[in-house]
Amino acid sequence: MRSTAVALVVVLAVSTAVTSLQAQPPARVSLESDLAGRQPTADVVANMRERISYWLDVMAKADNDQAVIKAREGLRDDYAYFDGRSAGYNFAEQMAALSLPLLKGGLENDPLRLLKETNIAMAVAQMPQVTITPALEAMVDCKTNAAVRYFAWQGFRDARTNILAQGRSPSELTYNKLQEAIADETSLPVMEVMFRMLELDSRQPEAVLGDFWQYAQTRSFEILKLTWPRWCELTRNTGGETLAVSRRALFALHRSADWIGVNPEPRKQMLQMIIDLTWAAATLHQEARSKGTESESSAMLLRDCEEALNFIEGATPRKTYIDRVLRDGKSQPEAIMWGIDKDGNRLGVLAWVEDLKAAGVVKPQDASTPTTAPAAQE
């Protein structure tokens, strides 16, 4: 997972000759006091626009990576200055408006397009104010640069509470965008940050009024349900770094248990989803063991799945049908699915399925009843 995430932004580290800027930015207005509770004057807003325009122009005209990075750092420092004086809302609004032309194809023929788009996205993502969302939406729509989409969802996650605090319309737009985007996303780092967007505490932030936190919880669970079959298939067929993202997806689902509680239908759906992911990981693990290789990543995911099942079922004492197989280095590969230990105790994923039948859980669709005796452990 780390290597893929690094690959997304490796373009940022390219080293080339440094050329000096041809001009200095307009002088930054001096704000002697905090603007909390007050709107900045027209002169202050104009100064924001001038400085943002300057840095974006430097970035657009840059012919080397150092000039691009210097422009991004200029935007970062200006935002920190104005945000530190309670004018971040206005700065983000100006940044969104001025960066849209570049984010929507303005750099299409630029040889440094990927570098410039990524640096603009990094600057945008640091602004959690709701006024930045037009830029984030444009970044989500960037099909040619996964790093831009990564920073888009990082920005949305940081701005999530502020968006929900604005009420129904901004909340719906954000979660509709997420539902649409997650169905087609192929980049693992982007998927990972999207699953982070779907993680929600049961406790509602004070800034979010009414039922909008509950709305976000409900939509997050619905989006997870919609993407889950595809994600289980990816887990089963690709393995590798997909498994680390699968653990993040499981964590997002696990967090939903905090607010679903004992509600029978969503609880049943959640248990089934975890069983489906467990089955995908177990199939992958069994195939690796059959070939004489070990898959620590699939073992970690399987343990996480069993922990989630124990938590949601409320099992006491804790069940270890899967963990016992993983700890026994002499077990047969198929025992991860179904086995019996030397004392006659059930093992494997299907032991969990049997225990959860009363809750409405069934074997995954590609599962079949074992045609031979369960694999026994020595």
Side-chain angles (χ1 to χ4, degrees), residues 242-314:
T242 304
L243 296 172
V245 185
S246 297
R247 296 181 72 198
R248 176 56 58 185
L250 177 66
F251 185 73
L253 183 63
H254 194 170
R255 292 292 291 272
S256 297
D258 294 340
W259 58 269
I260 283 177
V262 295
N263 195 325
E265 186 57 28
R267 180 174 176 272
K268 173 187 124 178
Q269 294 170 344
M270 185 176 296
L271 287 168
Q272 184 67 61
M273 290 164 71
I274 298 173
I275 285 293
D276 289 345
L277 183 61
T278 308
W279 187 270
T283 302
L284 194 68
H285 191 81
Q286 178 181 347
E287 290 178 355
R289 287 289 311 280
S290 298
K291 296 174 182 176
T293 61
E294 293 291 336
S295 175
E296 184 58 31
S297 295
S298 61
M300 291 172 65
L301 176 57
L302 285 164
R303 287 191 172 97
D304 286 349
C305 287
E306 184 158 71
E307 187 64 32
L309 289 168
N310 272 297
F311 177 81
I312 297 168
E313 190 197 24

Side-chain angles (χ1 to χ4, degrees), residues 15-33:
S15 177
T16 60
V18 181
T19 59
S20 61
L21 298 178
Q22 297 301 310
Q24 294 300 314
R28 188 163 56 197
V29 67
S30 178
L31 294 176
E32 300 298 335
S33 61

Side-chain angles (χ1 to χ4, degrees), residues 143 149 179-187 191 194 230:
K143 305 302 182 186
R149 300 195 302 277
Q179 181 173 317
E180 177 185 353
I182 203 170
D184 300 320
E185 185 55 63
T186 57
S187 165
M191 288 295 298
M194 292 170 96
R230 171 177 175 251

Side-chain angles (χ1 to χ4, degrees), residues 27-327:
R28 188 163 56 197
V29 67
S30 178
L31 294 176
E32 300 298 335
S33 61
D34 193 289
L35 294 173
R38 295 179 291 138
Q39 283 294 318
T41 64
D43 288 346
V44 172
V45 174
N47 185 247
M48 293 178 187
R49 290 184 63 86
E50 289 172 357
R51 290 185 65 88
I52 293 171
S53 296
Y54 170 82
W55 292 122
L56 290 175
D57 187 59
V58 167
M59 193 174 294
K61 294 176 179 177
D63 59 5
N64 65 82
D65 67 297
Q66 293 298 326
V68 172
I69 293 170
K70 184 174 181 65
R72 190 241 306 163
E73 291 174 343
L75 290 167
R76 177 201 64 196
D77 293 345
D78 279 355
Y79 169 73
Y81 175 81
F82 287 105
D83 188 51
R85 290 154 180 78
S86 301
Y89 182 95
N90 307 87
F91 189 94
E93 183 177 31
Q94 300 304 318
M95 179 66 182
L98 294 169
S99 63
L100 278 177
L102 296 180
L103 290 170
K104 289 186 171 182
L107 298 168
E108 186 173 353
N109 298 317
D110 194 311
L112 295 179
R113 176 179 62 82
L114 293 178
L115 177 67
K116 293 178 180 182
E117 286 177 344
T118 302
N119 275 267
I120 294 172
M122 292 174 70
V124 167
Q126 72 176 342
M127 304 175 194
Q129 286 80 9
V130 70
T131 46
I132 201 64
T133 53
L136 295 175
E137 291 169 0
M139 288 158 56
V140 169
D141 293 334
C142 180
K143 305 302 182 186
T144 56
N145 191 337
V148 171
R149 300 195 302 277
Y150 175 88
F151 287 113
W153 290 113
Q154 181 176 292
F156 265 122
R157 185 175 186 271
D158 291 344
R160 182 178 58 195
T161 297
N162 291 332
I163 291 171
L164 292 171
Q166 298 299 308
R168 175 69 64 181
S169 180
S171 302
E172 287 182 347
L173 287 173
T174 297
Y175 281 91
N176 288 346
K177 195 78 172 176
L178 178 56
Q179 181 173 317
E180 177 185 353
I182 203 170
D184 300 320
E185 185 55 63
T186 57
S187 165
L188 291 179
V190 179
M191 288 295 298
E192 194 267 349
V193 77
M194 292 170 96
F195 283 129
R196 287 181 182 273
M197 176 74 178
L198 293 169
E199 296 170 14
L200 285 163
D201 290 329
S202 58
R203 184 174 56 189
Q204 179 167 325
E206 292 182 2
V208 181
L209 304 178
D211 62 352
F212 297 117
W213 194 251
Q214 182 181 355
Y215 168 82
Q217 291 172 326
T218 302
R219 285 298 304 272
S220 294
F221 186 47
E222 291 297 323
I223 292 170
L224 283 169
K225 285 194 295 183
L226 288 171
T227 196
W228 210 254
R230 171 177 175 251
W231 195 254
C232 288
E233 184 179 359
L234 282 172
T235 300
R236 163 67 183 83
N237 293 334
T238 59
E241 292 187 345
T242 304
L243 296 172
V245 185
S246 297
R247 296 181 72 198
R248 176 56 58 185
L250 177 66
F251 185 73
L253 183 63
H254 194 170
R255 292 292 291 272
S256 297
D258 294 340
W259 58 269
I260 283 177
V262 295
N263 195 325
E265 186 57 28
R267 180 174 176 272
K268 173 187 124 178
Q269 294 170 344
M270 185 176 296
L271 287 168
Q272 184 67 61
M273 290 164 71
I274 298 173
I275 285 293
D276 289 345
L277 183 61
T278 308
W279 187 270
T283 302
L284 194 68
H285 191 81
Q286 178 181 347
E287 290 178 355
R289 287 289 311 280
S290 298
K291 296 174 182 176
T293 61
E294 293 291 336
S295 175
E296 184 58 31
S297 295
S298 61
M300 291 172 65
L301 176 57
L302 285 164
R303 287 191 172 97
D304 286 349
C305 287
E306 184 158 71
E307 187 64 32
L309 289 168
N310 272 297
F311 177 81
I312 297 168
E313 190 197 24
T316 305
R318 179 178 173 273
K319 297 176 182 178
T320 56
Y321 299 138
I322 293 171
D323 186 57
R324 276 182 287 157
V325 177
L326 295 173
R327 284 190 285 110

Side-chain angles (χ1 to χ4, degrees), residues 364-375:
Q365 290 183 359
D366 66 336
S368 58
T369 303
T371 55
T372 60

